Amino acid sequence: LATPLLLLGADLRVILRDTSRLLWVFCIGAVATALAATGSYFLFAPQLAADMAGAMSGGLGGGGDGWKVAAALAAKNIGGGLH
């Protein structure tokens, strides 16, 4: 409850003015992480599927859940950096 109340009283013009360089760097890092996660998924998904098909059914590759792993790792790298 405290965080939304703090944000309601924030002056966005001052925040954007004072943190404009940091915001650009964060946006570049977030886009780079999303592109790397997407590219890595398409690069390694066939290999993961082949390796995991015999080991377990419905695992990372066998069940087609590799995109969930890539999304979780990308979200951890993007959102976890601010906490």
Side-chain angles (χ1 to χ4, degrees):
L1 185 63
T3 303
L5 291 176
L6 282 171
L7 291 175
L8 286 175
D11 187 1
L12 289 179
R13 282 182 234 130
V14 172
I15 291 172
L16 289 175
R17 185 187 71 225
D18 292 345
T19 62
S20 61
R21 185 173 177 201
L22 178 65
L23 182 63
W24 280 109
V25 171
F26 175 77
C27 287
I28 290 169
V31 168
T33 300
L35 290 175
T38 303
S40 297
Y41 170 71
F42 285 113
L43 184 65
F44 294 114
Q47 182 63 37
L48 282 174
D51 290 344
M52 299 297 287
M56 57 174 31
S57 62
L60 287 175
D65 291 336
W67 67 272
K68 293 178 185 177
V69 175
L73 292 175
K76 177 196 69 83
N77 289 337
I78 293 172
L82 293 177
H83 297 297

